[in-house]
Amino acid sequence: MGDRETQPQQTPSSSKCNGVFLSYAYTGGRPIPPTVVDQIIDQPYRFESTLTLLNNGLDELKSWKVFLGFQHREVLVSASDSVIILQLDEGGEASSSSVLFPAQVGNGVVLGGSVLKDLKSAVDTAGDGKQTGVVIQLVGTQFGVGTPDVPMPLNISLANHGYFCPTPTTQGNNEMHLCCTRDPIKEKDTNFEEEIQTNGEKGDVVITYDVIGSYDTNYLAQVTISNHNPLSRLENWKLSWEWTKGEFIYSMKGAYPILIDSRDCIFGPQGQYYKDMDFSTVLSCNRRPTIIDLPPTRANDSTLGMIPFCCRNGTILSPLMDSTKSISAFQMQVYKMPPDLNRTQLNPPQNWKINGTWGPEFQCGSPIKVSPTRFPEPSGLPTESTSIATWQVVCSIKKIREVNPKCCVSFSAFSNDSVVPCRTCACGCNRNPTKTCNPTEPSLLLRPKTLLLPSENRTEEALEWAKIKGLDVPELLPCVDNCGININWHLDSDFKGGWTARMTLLNWDETEHVDWFAAVELGESGPGFEKAYSFNATFVPGSNDNIIFMKALKGLNYLHGADNGANQKKGLKVAGKQQSVIMFSKKKTPDLDLGGVHGFPTRVLFNGEECVLPTTFPTNDNQRKGMVVKKSIFFSLVFVMAYLLL
């Protein structure tokens, strides 16, 4: 695409504007499959449009942002040289700030620049259209508007703070334009860049890309990963992105590429341009490098470490656990390629991804330019220094998981002598389990002590218990849960002024969990929480007192892995265990009925992983199936004695 297409041209309409000129022009479209005969309103069409911004004012337009009021269930497939900043819902409120193409934008969308983010004034550039304006080519899908009608937006506007935009003027049936001017009243309010920076912190994980040193051919960047979600964490994080301008990583401190490879540079344009460079010392020339954290032993290494918040083996804790360990950071020296050999020409990488071996999955948005980060002066003077340029990438937890869970929950109660175990195949099953077990059959009820046996060794105990209780047993037994972490939630007692529960963590993996945490959401049962005896526990801020956050007491932060052969009598492995009794009062919940579903969590998380809950409860109603009600003290002693003996 040449300059004539990408460089805005002054028109009779734009030449009359002494502010920021915006225009939207529909340039074409056509029907696309599937063909809809009965409901024309559901027929999809391709649309192509051009969005033009031109700064004719005296002031530079920092981090331009444009609102497009789409109204035909549009799906935006691409927008050249721009990113989606906000996606609006039906009420016109921001529904997401981490949006990738293609995106549902039928309720409106805010776009921002990805290449040319600041539009200089004509006065400062002698009218250079390459610096004062930008042309965005839009491609997408809309529904129900075919020839001769034109699918125009309801409205367009400049979204930058401090500007007034009138109602757009239409030209023919395929173009609208307007001129936005400075608004002295709005300029007195909060700076919009500060709002964007604050909004960025609303993400679950925020990645900050700071340029802290810039030269003609290269720059020094600091990447900071911050966890803002109190119920998530990352283990062994892996971070990746995509270079779009031929950049490559020369050196790093605080982290390292998972693959050190300079071949793409040696045999590519980088090797042709940097002919005198020794590429044997270059760390990564991959277009999409993957970065990992360094171990703690490298934290004070003068060559690889010495970066605050680096070198923690990829562990980023919940801010509720330790705010100083909820951050990870590293620095890298990045070399650029022509035509960007100018210290002011800075472009962040795109298409960011982050994940870990434990914790939720994330979806990351595009980098958004924000106000420069302020850093404490290294010399110790009471001053601050700022980055040269800063971008933020907001990552949100995916609602739909692409991998199996890693933990599950079992329920038990003092009013019932059977345990409702973890669900069948809670953490996935083998590829073809139907030959050996039934992946859809509900789990067999168990006696309490059976929870302390590995799931693959519970069959004999489960069959014996079913015989005792007169329970039906299917011909093909249900598959096991296959979860490394089992959590038992037991209603321990119910008395006039309150009630107690006991939470037991069982680690059947060989890997220990350091600095673990768990969280339980109890709904209307939660406000009565008072204390946990063997865990540190508190309400999660902003949870309306129904989510309890728990972590180990000081010195007990290790949930050890399973010990193979530790049970010498039976030759079975023994799970790593921790447990605590949790006290609740009935002052705030006087009508609580612990004979039903009250007192059981509606959501459980372990180290940020959402655990699979049972679908049934050990209520008093289950007695009709042959289950016997036991007193609280007796049931607790049975479980605790089994716990100690094994």
Side-chain angles (χ1 to χ4, degrees):
M1 188 173 290
D3 288 348
R4 290 185 179 181
E5 293 176 285
T6 58
Q7 179 176 328
Q9 303 295 322
Q10 290 286 1
T11 65
S13 298
S14 66
S15 61
K16 298 177 182 178
C17 176
N18 288 329
V20 178
F21 178 79
L22 275 69
S23 75
Y24 179 95
Y26 173 80
T27 58
R30 65 175 188 272
I32 59 175
T35 300
V36 180
V37 178
D38 298 331
Q39 299 292 331
I40 303 301
I41 194 173
D42 292 327
Q43 174 63 50
Y45 294 84
R46 174 188 174 95
F47 75 87
E48 299 175 8
S49 302
T50 300
L51 173 67
T52 302
L53 286 82
L54 191 58
N55 183 14
N56 288 343
L58 291 174
D59 302 313
E60 182 178 9
L61 179 62
K62 290 280 191 180
S63 299
W64 66 262
K65 303 162 191 72
V66 172
F67 168 73
L68 299 176
F70 289 120
Q71 57 177 332
H72 302 293
R73 292 182 287 164
E74 285 87 348
V75 177
L76 192 57
V77 176
S78 65
S80 62
D81 299 334
S82 62
V83 296
I84 296 175
I85 295 179
L86 290 176
Q87 184 181 29
L88 305 185
D89 59 20
E90 294 182 359
E93 300 294 330
S95 63
S96 178
S97 58
S98 300
V99 187
L100 300 176
F101 297 110
Q104 303 283 344
V105 297
N107 297 310
V109 66
V110 177
L111 298 180
S114 64
V115 178
L116 184 62
K117 306 164 187 69
D118 304 330
L119 302 183
K120 298 184 180 296
S121 70
V123 172
D124 292 337
T125 62
D128 183 0
K130 292 182 179 179
Q131 301 183 63
T132 62
V134 62
V135 176
I136 307 299
Q137 305 294 341
L138 305 174
V139 177
T141 301
Q142 54 88 8
F143 291 86
V145 183
T147 306
D149 296 326
V150 176
M152 295 292 288
L154 185 65
N155 185 28
I156 63 172
S157 180
L158 189 67
N160 289 68
H161 195 77
Y163 282 85
F164 168 76
C165 296
T167 302
T169 299
T170 58
Q171 186 171 330
N173 68 344
N174 69 329
E175 184 178 343
M176 61 172 57
H177 60 259
L178 70 159
C179 179
C180 300
T181 55
R182 284 284 192 181
D183 187 336
I185 297 177
K186 290 184 178 180
E187 287 179 357
K188 295 179 181 179
D189 298 334
T190 305
N191 180 272
F192 190 80
E193 286 191 359
E194 293 177 358
E195 291 181 1
I196 288 293
Q197 192 163 20
T198 302
N199 287 340
E201 295 182 355
K202 291 181 180 178
D204 297 302
V205 167
V206 175
I207 303 168
T208 305
Y209 193 83
D210 288 303
V211 176
I212 56 179
S214 183
Y215 313 92
D216 286 344
T217 60
N218 65 92
Y219 64 85
L220 183 64
Q222 177 163 304
V223 180
T224 305
I225 308 167
S226 303
N227 181 15
H228 294 277
N229 189 320
L231 299 180
S232 74
R233 68 183 280 162
L234 282 164
E235 291 287 350
N236 303 305
W237 59 256
K238 290 183 180 180
L239 181 67
S240 64
W241 59 76
E242 185 176 347
W243 297 116
T244 59
K245 300 288 185 176
E247 300 96 332
F248 59 92
I249 303 173
Y250 185 82
S251 62
M252 297 185 76
K253 296 185 72 173
Y256 230 61
I258 199 169
L259 176 65
I260 300 174
D261 189 356
S262 60
R263 290 176 299 171
D264 289 346
C265 285
I266 295 174
F267 297 105
Q270 296 89 345
Q272 292 294 320
Y273 184 79
Y274 293 102
K275 294 181 179 180
D276 296 330
M277 179 178 289
D278 180 7
F279 281 94
S280 66
T281 61
V282 170
L283 286 184
S284 177
C285 292
N286 289 339
R287 180 182 175 88
R288 186 169 191 87
T290 298
I291 310 302
I292 57 174
D293 198 11
L294 294 176
T297 53
R298 295 292 189 176
N300 295 319
D301 189 308
S302 59
T303 303
L304 299 176
M306 305 298 289
I307 303 296
F309 308 114
C310 86
C311 313
R312 292 170 175 166
N313 265 340
T315 297
I316 301 178
L317 298 182
S318 156
L320 270 185
M321 289 201 68
D322 189 336
S323 60
T324 64
K325 295 181 179 180
S326 65
I327 302 171
S328 189
F330 61 89
Q331 292 181 2
M332 60 182 178
Q333 186 179 12
V334 179
Y335 269 79
K336 302 183 291 183
M337 288 291 290
D340 299 322
L341 301 181
N342 185 313
R343 66 182 61 199
T344 62
Q345 191 65 40
L346 302 167
N347 300 293
Q350 302 291 323
N351 301 324
W352 292 70
K353 291 184 180 180
I354 187 168
N355 55 48
T357 55
W358 261 91
E361 295 179 83
F362 297 92
Q363 175 176 302
C364 299
S366 300
I368 303 299
K369 191 173 184 182
V370 297
S371 53
T373 302
R374 294 183 178 184
F375 298 97
E377 178 59 41
S379 63
L381 294 174
T383 59
E384 293 180 322
S385 60
T386 65
S387 62
I388 297 170
T390 298
W391 291 264
Q392 280 189 348
V393 177
V394 179
C395 303
S396 301
I397 294 175
K398 285 184 178 181
K399 294 181 180 179
I400 301 177
R401 291 185 57 88
E402 296 177 358
V403 296
N404 289 323
K406 296 183 176 68
C407 58
C408 63
V409 179
S410 60
F411 286 158
S412 56
F414 65 86
S415 60
N416 199 310
D417 56 358
S418 288
V419 174
V420 178
C422 285
R423 285 162 58 179
T424 303
C425 297
C427 297
C429 268
N430 298 327
R431 292 183 179 179
N432 189 19
T434 55
K435 292 183 178 180
T436 56
C437 62
N438 191 334
T440 60
E441 184 71 31
S443 301
L444 299 180
L445 299 177
L446 305 173
R447 63 178 118 206
K449 70 175 185 178
T450 308
L451 291 180
L452 300 176
L453 295 176
S455 58
E456 61 271 19
N457 299 113
R458 295 174 184 172
T459 302
E460 184 178 341
E461 288 278 343
L463 293 176
E464 180 182 343
W465 188 245
K467 183 177 181 180
I468 293 173
K469 309 305 293 182
L471 303 175
D472 294 333
V473 176
E475 183 176 344
L476 188 62
L477 295 178
C479 300
V480 299
D481 56 71
N482 291 310
C483 296
I485 295 292
N486 284 192
I487 298 175
N488 174 250
W489 182 269
H490 173 66
L491 292 186
D492 205 39
S493 67
D494 182 15
F495 50 93
K496 184 176 181 181
W499 57 285
T500 61
R502 183 181 63 248
M503 187 174 184
T504 304
L505 309 178
L506 300 170
N507 182 11
W508 293 106
D509 282 332
E510 295 182 3
T511 305
E512 64 186 7
H513 291 273
V514 185
D515 293 325
W516 61 266
F517 80 84
V520 293
E521 184 172 347
L522 286 166
E524 56 188 279
S525 307
F529 167 71
E530 289 190 339
K531 65 178 179 179
Y533 289 94
S534 302
F535 296 158
N536 272 324
T538 184
F539 283 121
V540 173
S543 68
N544 296 321
D545 291 351
N546 64 18
I547 301 180
I548 304 170
F549 182 92
M550 289 173 275
K551 62 181 182 179
L553 296 174
K554 187 176 181 180
L556 299 174
N557 58 323
Y558 284 80
L559 178 59
H560 292 288
D563 188 355
N564 288 318
N567 189 334
Q568 297 298 328
K569 294 181 179 179
K570 299 181 179 181
L572 303 176
K573 64 180 180 181
V574 174
K577 316 176 194 71
Q578 286 206 33
Q579 68 175 0
S580 178
V581 172
I582 305 168
M583 174 68 73
F584 295 85
S585 168
K586 290 185 179 178
K587 290 180 181 179
K588 297 181 180 180
T589 56
D591 299 326
L592 204 64
D593 178 18
L594 295 179
V597 300
H598 289 167
F600 291 103
T602 58
R603 187 179 177 216
V604 176
L605 293 97
F606 179 81
N607 278 357
E609 285 277 349
E610 187 144 356
C611 304
V612 179
L613 299 179
T615 55
T616 58
F617 302 86
T619 61
N620 290 340
D621 293 338
N622 287 333
Q623 292 181 63
R624 63 177 179 267
K625 295 183 180 179
M627 302 178 188
V628 182
V629 177
K630 299 291 183 182
K631 293 183 179 180
S632 169
I633 296 177
F634 177 76
F635 188 91
S636 298
L637 284 174
V638 169
F639 194 94
V640 171
M641 288 301 294
Y643 180 95
L644 294 174
L645 290 173
L646 287 178

